[in-house]
Amino acid sequence: MKNAYFFVLAAVAVTLPSLAREAVLAAESDTYEYRIDTTPSPRAVKTQEDLDGLMEVTYFKGETVTATAPGGAASALVSSASADGSVVPGFNVGGVWTLANSAQGSATFTVRHSIFGTLGEGTSASPAKIVDALELFDLYLAGTAGNGYVYELVGIEGLSPLLPPDYGKESAGGNLLRLVEGGDTAEDTFVTPQTVWFLDSMQGGPDRTIMQRRGYFAAYSGDNWARSATAASTLSVTPPRGTASTQNLTGTGAVPFVPMNGKGDYTVVLTAGSTTWTSIITYMPRAGLVIFVK
């Protein structure tokens, strides 16, 4: 999962201990945009879309960027860079890739062979090359892997892939393994639907500042997120002007938060039993000029 976050370096105001108690603008920076990829290492590249969506590798002047291919051969993508820049990773075969920056560290990627048509047939003569933990399960969902499917693990050391429900594994000779339906080695597998979620990393919370009207949700739970379907809660939103709105809810979930009453502070209160959570959501739409008076 790739997540992109955007940060703005804003103006900083300080108050000097003068008689007039004036707020003086100390400094104002340029606006910079940053991207953070929070995907853990090794990063699983599962499809051509994933491969095409990879960020370029950034570097600063004087740094060297090296790519180590699945076979162990290393090549320099950039050597002692003459200026800051970025370079495409260039993954062109399936397997485990490592990118290393001489000053900033390294990152590992597992690239599925299916992207390049080199996965294998799932037989002893042509075993499937499995590189990440969810690949076998995805092949099962696609109707490719089933009883008797032969595979080998070519990912990182210690790779233990998720098996399909009610399937176990057995040796197929050498380093090969075979899926076996039922039996003593069968595993119970539970997989949740894919979910999109938002993370506000600009503040510690619970208060937030937002700059656009849509795309936000207010979470609720009647039992502190223990997920009872019948636990009751009340969610109220008090806008900067107008009257408060209240929703009586059950279970656990999220409802859209839309600041319909214009910019300002919205007070969001979740009440469940004797427990109350409060958050101030400040809606401040982007504008060409914003002046704060204190």
Side-chain angles (χ1 to χ4, degrees):
M1 176 180 62
K2 181 169 63 179
N3 303 317
Y5 303 94
F6 300 91
F7 300 88
V8 177
L9 302 181
V12 179
V14 298
T15 303
L16 300 180
S18 62
L19 293 177
R21 303 294 294 174
E22 295 180 349
V24 179
L25 185 65
E28 183 174 357
S29 72
D30 294 331
T31 298
Y32 296 91
E33 183 178 283
Y34 291 86
R35 294 188 298 172
I36 298 177
D37 188 342
T38 61
T39 309
S41 184
R43 164 76 175 275
V45 180
K46 304 177 181 180
T47 64
Q48 183 66 48
E49 183 180 5
D50 290 344
L51 186 62
D52 295 339
L54 288 176
M55 296 181 186
E56 293 188 355
V57 184
T58 59
Y59 54 84
F60 292 112
K61 181 179 179 180
E63 295 176 350
T64 295
V65 178
T66 303
T68 301
S75 60
L77 302 180
V78 177
S79 297
S80 301
S82 58
D84 299 351
S86 61
V87 63
V88 176
F91 300 152
N92 55 12
V93 296
V96 180
W97 287 80
T98 300
L99 298 176
N101 182 294
S102 58
Q104 301 182 45
S106 63
T108 302
F109 299 79
T110 55
V111 182
R112 290 188 179 180
H113 284 267
S114 55
I115 298 173
F116 306 98
T118 56
L119 173 64
E121 300 298 325
T123 64
S124 296
S126 178
K129 303 176 183 66
I130 302 301
V131 297
D132 67 67
L134 291 179
E135 189 169 9
L136 265 180
F137 192 85
D138 288 343
L139 290 169
Y140 164 77
L141 292 179
T144 302
N147 192 41
Y149 194 76
V150 179
Y151 62 95
E152 60 178 328
L153 304 180
V154 295
I156 61 172
E157 184 178 356
L159 173 64
S160 179
L162 180 70
L163 299 182
D166 297 322
Y167 273 81
K169 60 187 176 184
E170 66 180 14
S171 174
N175 295 325
L176 304 183
L177 296 167
R178 180 185 294 109
L179 284 179
V180 181
E181 189 173 8
D184 295 336
T185 61
E187 298 182 1
D188 292 327
T189 303
F190 302 92
V191 178
T192 64
Q194 198 171 46
T195 302
V196 176
W197 53 274
F198 299 92
L199 171 65
D200 185 344
S201 57
M202 295 182 68
Q203 301 180 81
D207 300 336
R208 293 287 186 267
T209 298
I210 60 176
M211 296 183 181
Q212 60 185 22
R213 189 180 296 275
R214 299 186 183 277
Y216 300 94
F217 293 82
Y220 65 87
S221 175
D223 57 358
N224 197 25
W225 284 267
R227 308 192 72 85
S228 167
T230 58
S233 62
T234 300
L235 184 70
S236 68
V237 178
T238 303
R241 58 196 62 83
T243 59
S245 61
T246 300
Q247 299 181 69
N248 296 316
L249 305 163
T250 56
T252 297
V255 294
F257 171 79
V258 182
M260 297 300 296
N261 294 68
K263 64 184 179 181
D265 292 337
Y266 290 74
T267 302
V268 181
V269 178
L270 173 66
T271 303
S274 59
T275 304
T276 299
W277 294 270
T278 302
S279 177
I280 306 297
I281 309 298
T282 301
Y283 173 50
M284 185 61 64
R286 290 183 176 90
L289 175 64
V290 178
I291 299 177
F292 295 92
V293 180
K294 295 183 178 180

